[in-house]
Amino acid sequence: MQDYRILTINPGSTSTKIGVFHNDQMIFDRTIRYEAKELSVFETIYNQYEFRKKSILEALDEEGINLSKLNAVCGRGGLLRPIEGGTYEVNELMLKDLKEGYAGHHASNLGGILAYEIGSGLNISSFIVDPVVVDELLDVARVSGSPHMARKSIFHALNQKAVARKVAAQLDKKYEELNLIVTHMGGGITVGVHNYGRVIDVNNGLHGDGPFSPERAGSVPVGELVRLCFSGEYYREDIMKMLVGKGGLVGYLGTSDVKKVEKLIEHGNKKAKLVYEAMAYQIAKEIGAASAVLAGKVDAIILTGGIAYSKMFVSLIIERVKWIADVTVFPGENELQALAEGALRVLKQEEKAKQYPGEHIHSSTL
């Protein structure tokens, strides 16, 4: 069997995580951190790529990583056009959309750019895998109830699909043979309906619908939201902060740290207990709704993300949903591993690399 070596890159707002894999085994990883003043000299996120590229190459050199042994470079996918899931080769249109911020400017946009810059210099392939804009929704799932708004697919696609494949392997099945409900629980919370390898329904985890999370409000009473918008007391930015950043646990309890919330509960804080239980209640309710999409034919429920480390929180969800299907817990979010596995499937010819944007999905209103 041929061996492959893959460099993975996951840019964050003030850091870049990198990993080197021998097949699916990580042999090196590092988080390169940047001071705010180092990044403040760049007018746009895109302008940071040369600076970040230099820091990545220096880190690899310090570790003695032989770049000539690399077979591929895989970066975190950014804000692109809606695309189906899979591993995509970085091409000119993708680079253009990432540079220009087609769907918004975010540090993750640098993932594909950096992968291409490093990969092309070594004359090897560059990829991205399952970006947050993966859109495989059924048409019926796009209808919101208002012709002025369509439901959108924005979720933790990379981690959701990675853990779904792991559970499929445990069941000795292919991902494409199963019906799964995958719940990612972090700063945002998304519940995906995985139907034979496609996420046919999922809540918009950024500023859309679904359960509230440590820092996001999720679905809120629409009439009350409209009242706040026109009360004259808030600017648009204030309202957006209520929904993303200062919603959820932060809004109610002043913290997004579930460990701190659990400490409050242990010390008898009744408000903290109620809000924490309400977050688990809403997740369980969303999982129940997801099971209806699959007509109750669910092979497994998966809980993942950072909050899945909390046994207290996980147990609150499991007691409400265990009647639907067996629940498997995969704590954390190993993005570098998921990127490497996506690239490896292509290198081993288990999958064919997709070309961006493929059949572009239009989330148009009716």
Side-chain angles (χ1 to χ4, degrees):
M1 185 185 80
Q2 185 175 349
D3 289 328
Y4 297 98
R5 187 163 287 196
I6 303 161
L7 168 65
T8 57
I9 303 170
N10 181 14
S13 56
T14 59
S15 68
T16 302
K17 295 177 182 177
I18 60 172
V20 177
F21 288 78
H22 181 82
N23 294 327
D24 61 354
Q25 297 299 309
M26 181 183 282
I27 59 174
F28 166 71
D29 72 298
R30 182 175 295 183
T31 299
I32 305 165
R33 304 191 186 279
Y34 312 109
E35 296 292 334
K37 61 182 180 182
E38 289 181 290
L39 300 180
S40 65
V41 300
F42 301 103
E43 289 185 14
T44 66
I45 290 173
Y46 167 64
N47 292 145
Q48 297 174 13
Y49 90 85
E50 282 281 11
F51 170 74
R52 294 200 189 217
K53 176 185 172 183
K54 184 172 180 286
S55 70
I56 292 169
L57 294 176
E58 286 175 351
L60 295 171
D61 185 56
E62 286 172 13
E63 190 64 20
I65 299 294
N66 186 340
L67 299 183
S68 68
K69 290 188 176 182
L70 291 176
N71 300 100
V73 188
C74 192
R76 180 74 186 270
L79 299 175
L80 293 159
R81 303 165 196 249
I83 53 177
E84 66 179 4
T87 300
Y88 285 78
E89 197 167 7
V90 181
N91 60 20
E92 290 299 325
L93 179 59
M94 183 188 293
L95 287 171
K96 181 176 182 290
D97 284 351
L98 291 172
K99 291 173 183 178
E100 295 178 358
Y102 175 90
H105 295 278
H106 189 270
S108 61
N109 288 14
L110 292 169
I113 296 168
L114 289 166
Y116 180 82
E117 287 291 327
I118 294 173
S120 60
L122 298 169
N123 199 29
I124 57 176
S125 299
S126 54
F127 304 107
I128 66 163
V129 181
D130 292 328
V132 295
V133 294
V134 165
D135 185 340
E136 300 167 335
L137 297 186
L138 294 175
D139 286 341
V140 71
R142 300 182 192 283
V143 183
S144 70
S146 168
H148 302 287
M149 296 172 273
R151 292 186 68 235
K152 294 181 180 179
S153 177
I154 300 177
F155 72 111
H156 305 89
L158 182 64
N159 189 46
Q160 282 212 20
K161 285 186 173 266
V163 296
R165 289 179 185 279
K166 284 182 170 61
V167 169
Q170 289 180 353
L171 296 173
D172 199 24
K173 297 274 190 179
K174 291 182 178 179
Y175 170 49
E176 294 78 12
E177 296 174 336
L178 297 173
N179 279 337
L180 304 166
I181 298 172
V182 185
T183 300
H184 178 103
M185 305 181 296
I189 292 172
T190 55
V191 180
V193 183
H194 295 241
N195 174 231
Y196 304 133
R198 297 179 67 82
V199 183
I200 61 172
D201 202 342
V202 66
N203 62 294
N204 179 336
L206 183 56
H207 43 64
D209 45 11
F212 72 81
S213 76
E215 57 185 36
R216 298 171 196 176
S219 297
V220 294
V222 179
E224 284 298 295
L225 179 61
V226 173
R227 182 186 64 79
L228 286 177
C229 289
F230 289 91
S231 66
E233 297 178 29
Y234 305 100
Y235 291 105
R236 179 181 182 277
E237 292 76 15
D238 299 326
I239 297 293
M240 289 305 295
K241 272 291 182 186
M242 285 184 196
L243 299 177
V244 182
K246 293 186 177 179
L249 296 183
V250 172
Y252 286 110
L253 303 173
T255 181
S256 61
D257 188 335
V258 297
K259 290 181 180 177
K260 289 182 179 178
V261 175
E262 289 183 358
K263 283 272 176 60
L264 291 173
I265 295 170
E266 288 170 10
H267 287 91
N269 188 311
K270 292 182 179 179
K271 181 181 178 182
K273 184 174 185 291
L274 175 64
V275 172
Y276 203 51
E277 288 180 354
M279 189 164 78
Y281 171 88
Q282 288 196 4
I283 292 170
K285 191 163 70 167
E286 192 79 11
I287 291 171
S291 72
V293 174
L294 295 169
K297 297 173 183 175
V298 183
D299 294 298
I301 295 168
I302 306 170
L303 303 179
T304 185
I307 302 176
Y309 283 110
S310 168
K311 292 182 179 179
M312 179 194 294
F313 193 75
V314 164
S315 66
L316 289 170
I317 297 170
I318 290 177
E319 69 182 25
R320 290 188 183 275
V321 303
K322 61 187 178 183
W323 60 274
I324 300 170
D326 290 341
V327 182
T328 301
V329 183
F330 269 98
E333 181 179 8
N334 198 337
E335 293 156 328
L336 295 178
Q337 183 79 37
L339 292 172
E341 289 169 357
L344 189 61
R345 287 192 295 273
V346 169
L347 293 173
K348 292 168 69 175
Q349 298 184 341
E350 294 174 0
E351 289 180 14
K352 191 174 180 181
K354 295 180 179 179
Q355 290 299 311
Y356 177 79
E359 294 184 10
H360 184 40
I361 301 166
H362 296 279
S363 300
S364 57
T365 53
L366 297 177

